[in-house]
Amino acid sequence: MSIEINSPLDMHLHLRQDKMLKVVAPLSAKYFAGGLIMPNLIPPITSLEMVKEYKKEILESIDEEFVPYMTLFFKDSYDEEFLKSIKDEVLAIKLYPSGITTNSEGGANLQDLTSLYPVLKLMSELQIPLCVHGESEGFVMDREKEFVEVYENLAKTFPKLKIIMEHITTKNSVELLDKFENLYATITLHHLLITLDDVAGGFLKPHLFCKPIAKRPEDRAALLEVALKAHPKVMFGSDSAPHPLHAKESCGCAAGVFTAPIALQALAQLFEKKGYLENLESFVSLNAQKIYNITPIEKRIKLIKKEFKVPEKYGDVVPMFAGKTLSWSISEE
Ligand code: DOR
Ligand code: ZN
C-alpha cells in the first residue's frame, strides 16, 4: 500500500538557531515543501532585519528546496509603518501570552486585552493573520479552556482578522471552529496520539512533555474527529519543538515534542488505521493552502506501508517514538 502527498506543509514549526538549526532544519526540508517558522527565539524575532537574517540562516542550513514561511513575535508596540514594511516578509504574527511557554517572556500581557487592539486592528486591515498560543495562567489542565473567552473576544472584535488557534488540544477549542468564521486551528501529531496518561500516568515521559499539555481522551477524540475528516478549518502544524537531551531528561524538563522527522510516517499510520488515508493530503497540505492563501513548491512525497525504525536520536535530540518501529515510511525513490 502507498499514497502520494503533494507538497506537505508543517504550519507550526520550531527550527531554533545555530547548531540545533543545522541538525533539525534539513529533517523538515527533506519531506516538507514548507513550514511556518515560529519566532520564539532568544531574542524573539521582532524586526524586519531579524526576519530576513533568520530566514537566511534557515536557507543556509538546508540543501533541499523548502520554503520557510516566516512569522514575527507579536508586540503591542508595532505601528502601521512597521507592519506595512514586514507584510510581504511574514505570513503571520504569533501572539504568546507572556511567560506561557519556551522563550515567551517578552510576550503580551493579556490582563488587558484592549491594549492589543490597535495592533490587531492594523493587522486586520493589512490582512496579516494572527497565530495564537492560547493558554491562560490558570491550572495546567484548564489553561486552554480558560482561553476560549479570549478567542471569542478577539474573533468578535475583529471579524475580518484571520485567527489561527495554535496546537489546539481540547474539545472546547474544536467547538469554536464552527462558531466563528474567522477562527482556524493547527493540530499536532502528538495531540492526536497521546493523552496526559501517556505523559504522566506511568513512568514520567519527558519527551512527551509539551505546552499545551496533552489532555483527556474525550479531547483527543474531538481533535481526531476534525483532523481525520480534514475539517477545512484545521491544518497540520507539528509544533515539533526540539530540545537537547540534557534539557529534557533533567530536573526541570523543557516543554516540547520533537516530531518533524517522523510526522508524515506516523500520520499515515494513524490515518490508515482509522480508515481516512484519503484525507491525509488535505490535512497536511490543501487545507493550509486555502487557509493561508499560499501555493507551495511542488514536492511529491510517496508514503509506503513499510516498516520504519525511528532513530534513537537526531544529533542530541530524542524524537517521538525513538527506537520504535512505525508501519509507514517515506519512499526514497
Ligand atoms: O511544548 C512546547 N514547546 N510548546 C510551545 O508552545 C513552545 C515549544 C518550544 O518552543 O519549545
Ligand atoms: Zn510551538
Side-chain angles (χ1 to χ4, degrees):
M1 200 189 311
S2 69
I3 179 176
E4 275 202 7
I5 306 276
N6 198 22
S7 307
L9 295 168
D10 182 348
M11 300 313 284
H12 184 131
L13 179 61
H14 297 272
L15 289 181
R16 312 300 193 204
Q17 291 153 290
D18 308 322
K19 208 172 115 227
M20 180 68 91
L21 172 66
K22 301 222 158 14
V23 173
V24 302
L27 300 168
S28 286
K30 192 153 183 210
Y31 301 126
F32 287 89
L36 188 68
I37 312 303
M38 291 297 131
N40 58 329
L41 308 184
I42 306 174
I45 304 285
T46 53
S47 71
L48 182 58
E49 292 66 38
M50 290 167 100
V51 170
K52 286 186 173 164
E53 177 60 28
Y54 188 32
K55 185 172 181 180
K56 188 164 148 265
E57 282 170 28
I58 294 169
L59 292 172
E60 281 169 3
S61 51
I62 57 181
D63 293 327
E64 319 265 343
E65 261 205 88
F66 172 85
V67 178
Y69 297 104
M70 305 305 288
T71 61
L72 191 75
F73 191 95
F74 184 97
K75 287 277 181 195
D76 60 13
S77 51
Y78 293 149
D79 63 18
E80 183 169 0
E81 194 188 343
F82 172 69
L83 290 172
K84 280 185 173 157
S85 77
I86 56 98
K87 186 179 156 35
D88 294 335
E89 298 294 329
V90 302
L91 192 59
I93 297 182
K94 172 80 184 277
L95 173 68
Y96 291 90
S98 174
I100 204 70
T101 190
T102 310
N103 306 337
S104 62
E105 288 69 26
N109 173 3
L110 298 190
Q111 299 309 324
D112 175 19
L113 267 189
T114 59
S115 63
L116 315 181
Y117 285 6
V119 174
L120 295 178
K121 181 167 177 283
L122 289 167
M123 285 173 63
S124 175
E125 287 163 7
L126 293 168
Q127 296 182 9
I128 305 173
L130 174 76
C131 298
V132 184
H133 182 118
E135 289 196 282
S136 73
E137 290 176 347
F139 180 67
V140 69
M141 286 294 276
D142 296 334
R143 286 176 192 171
E144 189 171 310
K145 192 166 117 200
E146 288 173 2
F147 204 84
V148 163
E149 61 185 69
V150 177
Y151 281 134
E152 290 186 334
N153 176 310
L154 298 180
K156 274 187 213 154
T157 313
F158 301 99
K160 295 255 153 62
L161 177 68
K162 214 169 244 189
I163 301 170
I164 295 99
M165 304 184 285
E166 293 299 329
H167 44 54
I168 56 170
T169 62
T170 68
K171 196 163 176 278
N172 315 88
S173 299
V174 170
E175 284 163 4
L176 286 179
L177 290 168
D178 291 326
K179 231 167 127 188
F180 294 94
E181 212 181 308
N182 56 334
L183 286 187
Y184 302 82
T186 54
I187 301 182
T188 73
L189 166 71
H190 47 287
H191 292 116
L192 290 173
L193 294 175
I194 64 170
T195 67
L196 183 62
D197 226 31
D198 298 288
V199 186
F203 287 115
L204 192 65
K205 299 286 190 335
H207 298 289
L208 297 181
F209 172 66
C210 62
K211 302 275 181 69
I213 197 131
K215 303 290 187 314
R216 303 179 146 275
E218 53 270 34
D219 292 307
R220 180 180 55 183
L223 299 176
L224 272 170
E225 171 72 19
V226 284
L228 293 171
K229 298 204 171 142
H231 185 299
K233 297 181 87 183
V234 304
M235 58 195 151
F236 176 62
S238 69
D239 198 13
S240 177
H243 292 277
L245 188 137
H246 69 83
K248 294 292 285 175
E249 297 182 9
S250 76
C251 177
C253 168
V257 184
F258 180 51
T259 53
I262 59 103
L264 290 172
Q265 303 90 322
L267 281 170
Q269 180 173 317
L270 174 67
F271 275 61
E272 189 223 351
K273 185 173 151 217
K274 303 283 185 184
Y276 287 95
L277 204 49
E278 73 277 11
N279 289 346
L280 185 57
E281 189 172 55
S282 293
F283 182 59
V284 299
S285 184
L286 299 171
N287 286 5
Q289 295 182 37
K290 290 187 199 123
I291 293 169
Y292 276 109
N293 203 9
I294 50 175
T295 305
I297 56 166
E298 275 281 314
K299 200 180 255 192
R300 294 206 77 81
I301 297 298
K302 187 175 178 191
L303 287 149
I304 44 174
K305 192 155 183 199
K306 182 177 153 221
E307 288 193 342
F308 163 53
K309 174 122 193 302
V310 179
E312 294 286 350
K313 280 193 254 170
Y314 291 89
D316 68 346
V317 193
V318 177
M320 189 180 190
F321 294 123
K324 302 253 163 53
T325 301
L326 297 176
S327 54
W328 282 75
S329 47
I330 297 174
S331 167
E332 302 290 345
E333 283 157 30

